[in-house]
Structure formats: C-alpha cells, structure tokens
Amino acid sequence: MSVSTEARELGLSILGLGTRYPPYTLDSRAVEELSKRYHPETPAMQKVLAINRFTGIDKRSSIGRPDHWLVNQPEPPTIAQLHDVFMSDGVPLAISASKEALAEAHINDVSQITHMVSATCTDSANPGYDHYVAKALGLSPFVEKTLLHGVGCSGGLAALRTAANLCLGHSTRGLPARILVVTLEISTTLVRSELESIHSNQETRIGVCLFSDCASAVVVSNDIPFSPTEPLPPPVYSLLDWRHQTVPDTEQDLGFDTHPQGWKVVLSPRVPNLTASVLEPTYNSLMSGKKLPEGYGSPKDFDWAMHPGGATILTGAEKVLGIQPEHMRASYDTYVNHGNSSSATIFSVLNRLRGKEMDGVAPGGRGARELVVGCAFGPGITVEMCLLRRNLSRTEGGRKGMETPPETEESSEDGEGGREVSEEEKKGSEVSEEEKKGSEVSEEEKKGSEEEAFIAKALESVELD
C-alpha cells in the first residue's frame, strides 16, 4: 500500500545505513568480575550486581574484555586516557560504518557529500572525532560539518533531524544535498568510574549494566540529483516528518555529567514513567493533520523503531501505546544482543528492522509495515520522534528470527565475563573492523519459557532507587 502524498512528502530519503559493533561481547559476569577485583561487597554494590543479572541483555558489545589494560589500572582511567581509546578503537568503527552507508547509497565519489552531521556523548575534544572520520574518508575540505553534543541517547535522531533541515535548506536553494550522519559511542570503558561511584557514594547506578559500544551511520539526501544523468538510487527509508520535545524540569533525571574520570551516568527511577508519559502526546502531534493510508489509525498499525534505553522503557511503551513487543522487534533484538549504545543505537535498530527475519516475526504474522515510527529519549529529558516510510523492496538478510522473547528479560548466567564473538576475534587487532559486523547468536542463548517467566517476574520487583 502506497503512502499518500498528503502524508507530507518532503523529498527526504535515507539512501544507506551502516552499523559497526566492536569485536568483543560482555555478559553479566564482566561487571561482577571487575567489581570483585577492585571493590569490597557493600549493600549498594550488591544491589547493582543483582540488577545487572536481570537487565534483559544477553551480551553488550565492547572494544575489550574485562582484562583490558584501561580498566585494570590501580585507579579508574582519566578522561585523557578515555579519549585516547575512543580515538584508537572507536574512530575506526565510525569509519567502517560510514563506508558501509556510503556504499549502499551508491556514493562512489565522496565529493558528492555536502554535509556531515555527527553525534557522541562519550568524548569531547577539539577538533571533534568527526574531523578524523571525514579525513579518513577523503571528504572535501568544503564539507559543512556539525558535531552535536549534550544530546545523549537521542543523538542519532537529533542528528537525523538536523540533517533533514539542512537538506530542506539546500532544496530551497535548488541545490543537491547528500549528508553523512555519523554516531559513535564508546561507553564500556567507563565501568571503573561507575563502580567507583557506586562504592564511594553507596549509590545505585545502573548505567554500568546497560551501556555498550557502537558506531552507526546513514546517508540522508534531498530529491535533487547532481545531474540528469545521475538519478537518485531508491531510498531505504523516506523521512516524512519529525517532532522534538523537552519534558519540563527533568534535567536531574537523565544525563551524563562530566567528571575527571570521564562521564557519570545520571538515571533516576522516574525515567520510565516520564518517558512513557510523553510518548502518546508526541505521537499525536506527529500524526496531527496527516491523511494516512487506510489501515493506519493507531500506534499498533505502525512498526516501531524505539531506542532500547532499558527493558522498562520498552515495556512502558507497550502499555502506553497499546503495542506488542513484536512491533518493536528490532529494538528488543538489538537490546538483547548488543545492549544500549546510546546515540548509535537507533540507526542500528533501523538497520536491523529491514532484515527479512524481522519481517517474519511481525505482529500477528501480518508482515512488515511500510510506515515506521522512530523514537529516542535523551537528557533533558528530550524526546525525538519521526515518521518514516520504509521501502519494502529493499530487505536485507540477518540473524534468524526474533531473538527477543516477547515481554521477557533474560540474564546471562553461563559463560565467562567477557567472550569473543568468533574465532577470528580472538586474534584481536589482527582482524580488521571491516571483517567484523556484529555477532551471531547461538542456540544455547535461547532460554526456556519457564525461565523467561521467572525473570520477567523478578524484573517487576526490582527497585531502581
């Protein structure tokens, strides 16, 4: 079913996507191993470790294992050391993700990139990391670069919104726009700093249980070709509209505070309720005035690409919007298999959503929907929401099935605290990032229904304050 032009066609397209996760994965034992290595048992630490076992995350993607030198010094790493690792281990991921997005967008000549919009919340330097990514890609020195800061987990959609407005500006001037949007987050290196705060302040800080590492990129375009002989390739997604909103007086609930040992996660127990409360009004605002095709009358009629900030964020969205886990199947799949990679996660979710295996587990066996709502929450608290039209003829392969059981949170109780994804990854730096594209999930990681019910019940009783 085609979307009516009355659904605000803006001539904006996502022509290509790229996602790169680092070579290693961490299960719940990674945090426990470092905690026992450097801190005594305390009530706060025991509480955090208990929550860590029931986050619903099977494994978090990471640039290293628990024996990485950076997290095994007498003291937590300094912000300068964190920056060095961000550049050495993170920037190559961003370069690889960008190359993947450019290739799918059929941009063989990088001189066609007119702008670059980037985001991160896990590094701060001048010039920013985007400068080095642009340099490595051979982008023109005249490319207009913008680096977003202070947007946290909403950074991916904030960057997409910024790119969309830049595209519209070029359209008004009658100029083609091809914008490379890049997000990069290296969060797992903050584990020692977070554990130190848990121990010293006796605080329940759960960010250490959730966050992971990732780079992702998309190429955004307006509908003006560079020449009549170079037509635009078909889009992966078309961007139809967006909304941005800040929830008043929530600055203390969600954030990422600067500290000599990096950044400290701010995550209050109010976040799930606050994010749930703003979902429906933002959705209604996004849909207001649009004449959508028949069959699109409520949230359950769309597919959803929700940023998986945590299990309670996703289950809260289900209750408020009246949707099922299968509506957010790519969000759950990404959360279970990689964790929360902050701003880089949403593009990974959109990339995963178009996998043919994801289409096979759509709600009620109805198949994939053409219209998709993307949503992410960031510090402030801010909400970013957008309406996308998926090109259903461009479906990618991927892992088999929906690896996120509906309304189920799983723990990793087997295996080591840190494990490589494959034999190749055991070689460490000998394997290039081009050769690593996420991880495959084994049969042994699928849990039985009895265990799932137990864990779901346990999650309901966990207090985060």
Side-chain angles (χ1 to χ4, degrees):
M1 180 183 297
S2 297
V3 176
S4 166
T5 54
E6 295 181 67
R8 294 196 62 184
E9 293 284 353
L10 300 174
L12 301 176
S13 300
I14 295 177
L15 299 180
L17 297 90
T19 303
R20 280 292 184 272
Y21 286 102
Y24 303 104
T25 59
L26 307 173
D27 65 25
S28 62
R29 292 195 179 187
V31 174
E32 294 187 19
E33 182 178 335
L34 288 170
S35 170
K36 292 177 180 178
R37 188 178 299 169
Y38 293 102
H39 299 288
E41 288 189 7
T42 62
M45 190 68 72
Q46 289 178 326
K47 188 173 186 179
V48 170
L49 295 181
I51 294 172
N52 180 55
R53 300 184 192 103
F54 299 105
T55 59
I57 299 172
D58 274 358
K59 52 193 177 183
R60 293 180 295 121
S61 298
S62 175
I63 56 101
R65 296 174 292 185
D67 58 357
H68 193 286
W69 69 268
L70 185 68
V71 297
N72 282 280
Q73 304 174 99
E75 299 295 329
T78 65
I79 197 167
Q81 292 174 319
L82 293 168
H83 168 71
D84 289 343
V85 172
F86 181 95
M87 296 299 294
S88 64
D89 293 50
V91 168
L93 296 175
I95 294 168
S96 294
S98 299
K99 287 181 177 179
E100 182 180 358
L102 291 167
E104 185 176 30
H106 299 287
I107 294 181
N108 301 316
D109 181 1
V110 292
S111 67
Q112 291 185 343
I113 295 297
T114 57
H115 304 72
M116 183 177 182
V117 180
S118 307
T120 187
C121 64
T122 51
D123 188 62
S124 180
N126 300 282
Y129 83 92
D130 60 324
H131 170 85
Y132 299 97
V133 174
K135 185 176 180 180
L137 295 174
L139 301 188
S140 165
F142 298 102
V143 167
E144 299 180 29
K145 299 195 298 294
T146 302
L147 177 58
L148 304 183
H149 186 67
V151 287
C153 291
S154 64
L157 289 188
L160 180 63
R161 169 173 53 84
T162 302
N165 283 311
L166 290 171
C167 275
L168 293 178
H170 259 42
S171 295
T172 301
R173 298 164 63 190
L175 299 173
R178 306 292 182 270
I179 303 181
L180 178 63
V181 179
V182 184
T183 55
L184 170 62
E185 305 292 2
I186 303 299
S187 307
T188 59
T189 53
L190 301 173
V191 58
R192 285 288 308 282
S193 177
E194 286 292 307
L195 290 173
E196 180 67 27
S197 291
I198 295 168
H199 170 69
S200 300
N201 304 328
Q202 286 299 289
E203 298 173 337
T204 304
R205 306 176 63 87
I206 66 170
V208 70
C209 313
L210 303 175
F211 288 101
S212 57
D213 307 333
C214 180
S216 58
V218 299
V219 175
V220 182
S221 172
N222 63 8
D223 57 0
I224 301 177
F226 277 94
S227 75
T229 60
E230 297 182 43
L232 288 167
V236 179
Y237 292 97
S238 296
L239 180 57
L240 304 179
D241 206 357
W242 55 87
R243 291 292 185 274
H244 169 88
Q245 181 179 345
T246 301
V247 183
D249 302 319
T250 57
E251 297 89 351
Q252 304 304 314
D253 291 288
L254 183 61
F256 212 36
D257 290 345
T258 306
H259 188 273
Q261 296 170 344
W263 292 266
K264 299 288 188 177
V265 177
V266 177
L267 189 61
S268 86
R270 298 203 311 158
V271 169
N273 288 335
L274 288 168
T275 54
S277 69
V278 77
L279 270 174
E280 190 172 18
T282 306
Y283 166 82
N284 290 335
S285 174
L286 181 64
M287 298 301 160
S288 177
K290 292 179 176 62
K291 185 178 179 181
L292 298 172
E294 182 180 353
Y296 289 96
S298 66
K300 64 181 175 58
D301 299 320
F302 299 80
D303 274 337
W304 284 78
M306 184 74 67
H307 169 74
T312 52
I313 299 295
L314 297 178
T315 56
E318 292 167 24
K319 295 174 183 177
V320 170
L321 298 171
I323 60 178
Q324 302 169 18
E326 289 89 349
H327 285 92
M328 298 184 291
R329 54 197 179 276
S331 301
Y332 272 110
D333 185 87
T334 301
Y335 180 70
V336 165
N337 290 295
H338 298 287
N340 176 358
S341 304
S342 191
S343 70
T345 315
I346 192 65
F347 295 145
S348 175
V349 170
L350 286 169
N351 209 359
R352 182 69 178 124
L353 180 61
R354 61 193 178 125
K356 66 178 89 174
E357 293 81 8
M358 289 288 99
D359 292 348
V361 287
R366 69 180 187 190
R369 300 296 275 174
E370 188 179 29
L371 291 185
V372 178
V373 179
C375 184
F377 299 98
I381 291 173
T382 59
V383 57
E384 300 278 353
M385 190 177 288
C386 64
L387 178 62
L388 300 157
R389 183 181 65 223
R390 177 182 164 192
N391 184 347
L392 294 175
S393 66
R394 298 191 62 176
T395 299
E396 301 293 322
R399 294 187 299 271
K400 294 182 179 180
M402 179 181 175
E403 296 170 39
T404 307
E407 297 194 70
T408 297
E409 316 308 334
E410 300 184 357
S411 65
S412 298
E413 299 183 2
D414 299 313
E416 300 174 358
R419 57 180 173 84
E420 297 89 337
V421 177
S422 67
E423 289 298 319
E424 281 186 336
E425 291 163 351
K426 294 179 180 179
K427 300 175 183 178
S429 59
E430 295 179 12
V431 181
S432 70
E433 297 302 336
E434 289 290 338
E435 296 172 302
K436 301 161 185 169
K437 293 188 65 176
S439 59
E440 297 294 328
V441 175
S442 63
E443 288 296 320
E444 67 185 23
E445 291 171 325
K446 298 179 180 179
K447 307 294 190 293
S449 59
E450 293 183 1
E451 181 187 11
E452 294 167 359
F454 166 76
I455 294 174
K457 183 176 180 180
L459 269 172
E460 292 176 358
S461 66
V462 171
E463 296 180 1
L464 302 184
D465 56 351

